[in-house]
Amino acid sequence: MAEQRKKTVVNSWNEWDPLKHVIVGRADGTMMPAPEPAVEWDFRKDGIPVGMHGRFPKEMEDKANEQLDHFAKILKKRGIRVDRPTVFDFGQEIQTPDWKQKSSFGCMPPRDVLLTVGNEIVEATMSYRTRWFEYIVYRPLLEQYFKEDPNFRWISAPKPRLTERTYKKGFWEEYHGLSAEEKIRRGRRGEWVHTEVEPLFDAASVARFGKDLFVEHSTVTNLSGIEWLRRQFPNHRVHKVMFDEEWPCHIDATFVPLRPGLVLQNRKRSPLIKDTSDLLKKNGWEVVTCAEPAHKEKAYLSHCSIWLSMNLLVLDPKTVCVESDEKAQMEQLDKLGFEVIPVPFWDVSAFGGGLHCATADVYREGKCEDYFPKQVEGF
Ligand code: ABU
């Protein structure tokens, strides 16, 4: 007899409660994106000139899909329901009334697009033109969840126009002429390519700690985006955080909660806003510095950093999935009392990230709790 699948319930408040239902991305059809004003994809280290674009080599795509499917199998074996997105042709030209773009990106990292907060899933605005239509790959699933769960709240954040007003005029010309020190100084001041004309955020800029959401001001999430989240979640405390990095992207290779009272911190990207550390300390949270990553360089054709070493997926407060090359990271987590599940995933990096990026929560047991009863005023 065919197995009876349980009806969907959307519920997930943090990054560590027992995971029961998750979306895992796919590598199919992923594109090296065509140039656009938001970002410069630079693969010169891999012998690819700036501006070159097109579909990733089939062999790479197949290897990535093999690792993604294997990861999905590991999760299923642990009793976790796994859903997958529906791919569209990312190579087709896209357009809105405001702009045209030669292609989209792909659908490996659902974490970038979907933000689950309790019974709500928010489709993030995104801030790259190449990622504007990415929500479409998740629509069949979200439609299904909407039918099956009467309490599911499905929200699409305001689609940004991404016109010339969204990006600073002449940004890239000036940026290329800056010294390394000046780039770092500007990063510390949060001066990147986006303006504040409209709210912009990626879902992976948010780390969920129950009632407290830490949102990273970065090259993909502007201050208006953080303000939009603050107004969208009036019963939460939304904290703007920043980390010391020239071109920050997502929080999930920087500041990663592991269980109540324990956060993994990137050893190179320390918090720039002192209140972040103060809040953790005041509430008895321990911050451990991550282990040295196994890889010294980014993966071939990867836009993501070597810090995917800490882009892990917590299955419950005692169990964590870690990329299988990351022996030092696994050892550190083992010493912290976790059962560590090694998952081969390095070949997925170029398709948009690691184990956390490749997933989006649908259901974790548990409810909204206050892990920071002692607040830092104004943070
Ligand atoms: N999306 C996670 C990648 C962040 C990083 O490259 O550090």
Side-chain angles (χ1 to χ4, degrees), residues 222-289:
N222 64 7
L223 298 173
S224 314
I226 299 175
E227 181 56 25
W228 186 88
L229 286 162
R230 194 166 276 138
R231 294 186 202 179
Q232 178 63 28
F233 295 110
N235 298 322
H236 280 72
R237 295 180 291 243
V238 173
H239 307 283
K240 178 188 95 169
V241 291
M242 290 178 78
F243 297 92
D244 202 357
E245 198 188 346
E246 197 179 298
W247 197 261
C249 183
H250 294 143
I251 199 165
D252 56 358
T254 300
F255 183 76
V256 175
L258 297 171
R259 64 183 178 222
L262 186 62
V263 175
L264 192 62
Q265 170 66 54
N266 187 301
R267 54 195 310 118
K268 284 278 160 66
R269 305 169 177 170
S270 32
L272 284 173
I273 298 175
K274 191 178 155 291
D275 292 345
T276 314
S277 318
D278 289 351
L279 182 66
L280 293 164
K281 206 163 156 197
K282 210 169 165 179
N283 288 278
W285 281 65
E286 187 189 352
V287 179
V288 287
T289 304

Side-chain angles (χ1 to χ4, degrees), residues 67-319:
Q67 294 194 337
L68 282 154
D69 292 347
H70 176 66
F71 179 38
K73 256 190 213 149
I74 292 175
L75 298 173
K76 281 184 199 165
K77 267 200 188 144
R78 296 225 155 213
I80 298 167
R81 175 176 153 197
V82 176
D83 290 338
R84 312 296 295 270
T86 304
V87 173
F88 68 85
D89 175 10
F90 303 123
Q92 68 190 290
E93 184 168 284
I94 51 172
Q95 74 173 86
T96 72
D98 294 310
W99 46 263
K100 277 187 186 172
Q101 178 70 20
K102 286 210 169 72
S103 52
S104 296
F105 170 55
C107 65
M108 199 300 286
R111 188 72 64 176
D112 297 1
V113 183
L114 302 178
L115 173 65
T116 310
V117 178
N119 63 339
E120 303 185 26
I121 297 184
V122 180
E123 296 169 6
T125 66
M126 313 309 284
S127 67
Y128 298 174
R129 291 177 181 173
T130 41
R131 305 196 72 182
W132 204 90
F133 284 107
E134 212 167 301
Y135 68 94
I136 290 176
V137 303
Y138 305 109
R139 281 292 170 93
L141 294 174
L142 296 172
E143 286 160 13
Q144 182 194 345
Y145 303 164
F146 189 72
K147 282 195 191 102
E148 292 182 0
D149 178 0
N151 294 316
F152 168 40
R153 286 167 47 85
W154 176 11
I155 292 134
S156 173
K159 288 306 285 176
R161 296 275 300 271
L162 302 185
T163 66
E164 284 171 11
R165 295 169 63 237
T166 301
Y167 309 103
K168 291 177 189 155
K169 206 167 183 284
F171 176 86
W172 290 106
E173 290 80 349
E174 193 201 359
Y175 195 73
H176 289 308
L178 298 176
S179 65
E181 295 74 32
E182 182 55 17
K183 285 182 184 172
I184 290 169
R185 268 197 293 276
R186 289 192 184 195
R188 286 184 180 149
R189 295 198 297 260
E191 293 172 9
W192 301 294
V193 62
H194 292 101
T195 64
E196 291 292 339
V197 162
E198 56 187 348
L200 302 171
F201 67 95
D202 276 12
S205 294
V206 185
R208 301 163 307 143
F209 292 66
K211 196 172 166 60
D212 292 77
L213 303 173
F214 291 73
V215 187
E216 185 177 10
H217 181 207
S218 73
T219 59
V220 292
T221 295
N222 64 7
L223 298 173
S224 314
I226 299 175
E227 181 56 25
W228 186 88
L229 286 162
R230 194 166 276 138
R231 294 186 202 179
Q232 178 63 28
F233 295 110
N235 298 322
H236 280 72
R237 295 180 291 243
V238 173
H239 307 283
K240 178 188 95 169
V241 291
M242 290 178 78
F243 297 92
D244 202 357
E245 198 188 346
E246 197 179 298
W247 197 261
C249 183
H250 294 143
I251 199 165
D252 56 358
T254 300
F255 183 76
V256 175
L258 297 171
R259 64 183 178 222
L262 186 62
V263 175
L264 192 62
Q265 170 66 54
N266 187 301
R267 54 195 310 118
K268 284 278 160 66
R269 305 169 177 170
S270 32
L272 284 173
I273 298 175
K274 191 178 155 291
D275 292 345
T276 314
S277 318
D278 289 351
L279 182 66
L280 293 164
K281 206 163 156 197
K282 210 169 165 179
N283 288 278
W285 281 65
E286 187 189 352
V287 179
V288 287
T289 304
C290 73
E292 280 292 345
H295 297 272
K296 299 298 164 225
E297 286 201 17
K298 291 176 181 188
Y300 179 63
L301 297 186
S302 178
H303 192 59
C304 293
S305 71
I306 56 170
W307 301 105
L308 292 182
S309 57
M310 59 181 292
N311 186 267
L312 42 86
L313 183 71
V314 179
L315 300 190
D316 63 54
K318 290 185 174 154
T319 318

